[in-house]
Amino acid sequence: GTKLEVTEKSLAQARLRDVSQRPPVLVRVLRMLVTASLLAILVSILLPVTPAGRMGSANDSNVMARKLTSLRDTLQEDRSATYRISEAEINAYLAGALKRSPPSSSWGLDLKRINVALGAGELLVLLETVRGPFTLTQELRVAPVQRDGRWQFDVVGMRMGRLPLPAFLADPLAARSAGAFSSLAKEREVIERLAVFEVTTGWIQVASKRP
């Protein structure tokens, strides 16, 4: 209840204290830029990527299954077999395998789709997962490389949603994403042992022996 003496001098001192307690303009601008950057990154991650690979039918899935069985038999019997496998056959087979035996994902997410698009010398693999109301995608660009007589797939690029990741982040994250293929161990064993695995746009040329 004490009466305050308000003078020009006290008002000036109050204004000075108020200004001195505010962060500098540069600090405020930097905070705004950091906040905007984080929001942009979050939006980029949450925006799903549209599958690029052509989807096939149930018949395509059956054709792919027969080719894998034939390749497995020829490898065991040391015979020769050559096939062209289409993008549609691969995606139809993956869709059927996912329905039969949903893999456990190390990300703790519900895997809904695996889609493969075939380009010149590389594969674009899209993993689509669901977490609550959000559909999340991981897109890996992989190149087939033969080492010690077995085919492996090197990650040459990765996106989380629409956000490209640098190599030092892509490699460990891609390793965790490999859990999506845990139910395809038999198929992976066949592919690794092939003598020929050539990727072109829309097709893969495979052979159990080199011509």
Side-chain angles (χ1 to χ4, degrees):
T2 304
K3 183 179 179 181
L4 297 176
E5 295 293 335
V6 179
T7 64
E8 289 295 330
K9 183 178 180 181
S10 64
L11 284 173
Q13 289 175 341
R15 292 192 193 100
L16 183 62
R17 285 195 300 271
D18 182 59
V19 171
S20 64
Q21 290 172 0
R22 294 179 186 173
V25 174
L26 181 59
V27 173
R28 296 202 300 272
V29 171
L30 287 175
R31 287 177 180 172
M32 291 173 61
L33 288 175
V34 169
T35 301
S37 299
L38 291 176
L39 286 174
I41 290 173
L42 181 60
V43 170
S44 297
I45 291 175
L46 293 178
L47 283 175
V49 175
T50 304
R54 190 163 64 92
M55 283 302 301
S57 62
N59 182 62
D60 290 316
S61 178
N62 293 333
V63 170
M64 178 69 183
R66 289 195 295 270
K67 289 177 180 178
L68 284 171
T69 300
S70 176
L71 285 168
R72 187 180 299 113
D73 292 341
T74 55
L75 287 168
Q76 291 175 349
E77 298 166 7
D78 197 25
R79 293 187 289 108
S80 178
T82 301
Y83 291 106
R84 287 186 78 201
I85 300 174
S86 72
E87 194 174 85
E89 291 168 358
I90 293 172
N91 287 320
Y93 184 84
L94 288 173
L98 196 58
K99 289 179 181 179
R100 291 190 299 271
S101 178
S104 57
S105 172
S106 57
W107 292 95
L109 304 175
D110 188 9
L111 183 63
K112 289 297 185 183
R113 190 203 311 252
I114 303 175
N115 181 268
V116 176
L118 305 176
E122 67 177 25
L123 301 87
L124 199 63
V125 182
L126 181 74
L127 305 177
E128 186 178 287
T129 55
V130 174
R131 184 64 176 264
F134 299 106
T135 298
L136 307 175
T137 56
Q138 303 164 47
E139 185 184 69
L140 296 90
R141 274 197 313 122
V142 298
V145 179
Q146 195 171 34
R147 294 191 182 95
D148 300 325
R150 283 183 172 263
W151 288 100
Q152 300 176 23
F153 297 92
D154 288 350
V155 177
V156 295
M158 182 176 181
R159 288 196 298 174
M160 295 289 288
R162 297 178 184 271
L163 180 68
L165 298 180
F168 74 92
L169 286 177
D171 290 341
L173 292 177
R176 292 191 64 182
S177 299
F181 301 93
S182 60
S183 63
L184 301 172
K186 293 180 180 179
E187 292 85 348
R188 190 170 62 245
E189 175 66 19
V190 171
I191 292 171
E192 289 177 351
R193 294 172 58 196
L194 293 173
V196 176
F197 190 92
E198 297 177 355
V199 185
T200 58
T201 303
W203 296 88
I204 297 177
Q205 182 81 21
V206 299
S208 56
K209 285 188 175 184
R210 290 195 174 275

